[in-house]
């Protein structure tokens, strides 16, 4: 295993499978965005799942939903990011720490941009709903954790892909359930947020690896140049 592959946040064995997943997820996000652009009511698929405009759970499950929802709120999200970055640094995985911040931030920024572009609302014109930022955030953070675990465990393509997608599914389902149960999002908003994370996070991981590798190559070249200059001076 080379130094690059050992420190990569996107394991080389997963690049093809997660790349394909990212493309398909982006297509889902676009299709749903076009279908529900400007809507302010649940669609047919939403009504199949649940009526999302009224609270559908009571204590104690409502308390569970509220606690899960808090993880996507600014305070809860910041605490998760700080904990994740600290864990990455303790494991001596600086690239992973960068991905936690950049990956989660890019995913949330993407959902914010899409909400403005799509213009779907719930509970009033001021509440843009597609895609779900809470779902996208928790899914993105879980994807990063799963990628780190895949690299540390040395999993192959099949096992690694299964672990990453299973982790993303659990995180997306948990936050998605909370958002729909609390009436904060339509089910298709949740699907859109989940797919946004699946599209953005692998791409961001690839960019982090590429940027880090190029930086390391430039440093190595400068070091080689300095050593060559020192050798020439010594020969004089």
């Amino acid at each position: 295993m080379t130094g690059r592959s050992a420190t990569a946040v996107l394991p080389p064995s997963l690049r093809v499978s997660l790349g394909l997943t990212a493309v398909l997820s982006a297509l889902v996000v676009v299709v749903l965005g076009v279908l529900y652009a400007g809507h302010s009511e649940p669609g047919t698929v939403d009504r199949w799942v649940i009526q999302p405009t009224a609270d559908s759970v009571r204590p104690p499950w409502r308390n569970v939903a509220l606690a899960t929802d808090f993880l996507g709120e600014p305070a809860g999200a910041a605490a998760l990011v700080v904990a994740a970055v600290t864990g990455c640094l303790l494991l001596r995985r600086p690239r992973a720490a960068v991905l936690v911040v950049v990956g989660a931030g890019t995913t949330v920024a993407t959902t914010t941009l899409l909400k403005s572009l799509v213009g779907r609302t719930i509970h009033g014109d001021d509440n843009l709903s597609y895609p779900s930022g809470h779902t996208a955030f928790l899914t993105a953070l879980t994807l990063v954790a799963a990628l780190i675990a895949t690299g540390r465990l040395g999993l192959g393509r099949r096992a690694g892909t299964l672990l990453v997608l299973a982790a993303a599914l659990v995180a997306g389902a948990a936050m998605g359930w909370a958002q729909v149960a609390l009436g904060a999002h339509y089910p298709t908003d949740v699907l859109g947020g989940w797919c946004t994370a699946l599209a953005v996070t692998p791409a961001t991981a690839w960019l982090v690896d590429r940027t880090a590798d190029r930086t390391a190559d430039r440093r190595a070249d400068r070091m080689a140049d300095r050593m060559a200059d020192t050798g020439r001076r010594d020969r004089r």
Side-chain angles (χ1 to χ4, degrees):
M1 181 177 290
T2 66
R4 284 189 176 189
S5 62
T7 59
V9 288
L10 181 62
S13 60
L14 303 189
R15 288 174 184 171
V16 174
S17 58
L18 292 188
L20 179 59
T21 299
V23 171
L24 293 175
S25 297
L27 288 175
V28 172
V29 172
V30 171
V31 169
L32 290 177
V34 171
L35 287 176
Y36 295 109
H39 286 208
S40 59
E41 297 291 337
T44 302
V45 175
D46 300 316
R47 293 190 181 95
W48 285 346
V49 179
I50 195 173
Q51 176 56 259
T53 56
D55 292 346
S56 58
V57 292
R58 298 180 182 277
W61 288 109
R62 178 172 173 78
N63 296 330
V64 175
L66 287 170
T68 304
D69 174 75
F70 175 74
L71 298 178
E73 293 295 315
L80 283 179
V81 169
V82 169
V85 169
T86 301
C88 291
L89 295 178
L90 290 175
L91 291 173
R92 297 181 180 179
R93 296 293 302 272
R95 287 195 195 187
V98 171
L99 180 60
V100 168
V101 177
V102 178
T106 303
T107 300
V108 172
T110 301
T111 61
T112 301
L113 175 62
L114 288 172
K115 283 180 179 180
S116 298
L117 293 175
V118 175
R120 190 186 197 190
T121 59
I122 187 170
H123 305 320
D125 294 340
D126 295 332
N127 297 314
L128 297 173
S129 66
Y130 181 87
S132 167
H134 281 61
T135 305
F137 167 76
L138 191 61
T139 302
L141 206 61
T142 304
L143 279 170
V144 175
L147 288 172
I148 296 171
T150 297
R152 289 185 66 84
L153 294 173
L155 299 180
R157 178 181 60 83
R158 182 174 299 178
T161 301
L162 181 62
L163 173 62
V164 170
L165 294 183
L169 180 60
V170 171
M175 183 59 81
W177 166 78
Q179 295 308 299
V180 174
L182 295 173
H185 283 283
Y186 304 112
T188 43
D189 296 337
V190 168
L191 178 59
W194 186 66
C195 288
T196 299
L198 285 174
V200 172
T201 306
T204 306
W206 179 81
L207 287 173
V208 168
D209 281 335
R210 188 171 178 83
T211 301
D213 288 341
R214 285 183 172 179
T215 301
D217 288 342
R218 286 195 293 268
R219 288 177 180 173
D221 290 341
R222 286 197 295 268
M223 182 65 70
D225 291 340
R226 289 172 185 168
M227 293 178 65
D229 291 341
T230 301
R232 286 193 291 269
R233 286 195 296 269
D234 290 342
R235 286 193 296 271
R236 291 175 185 171

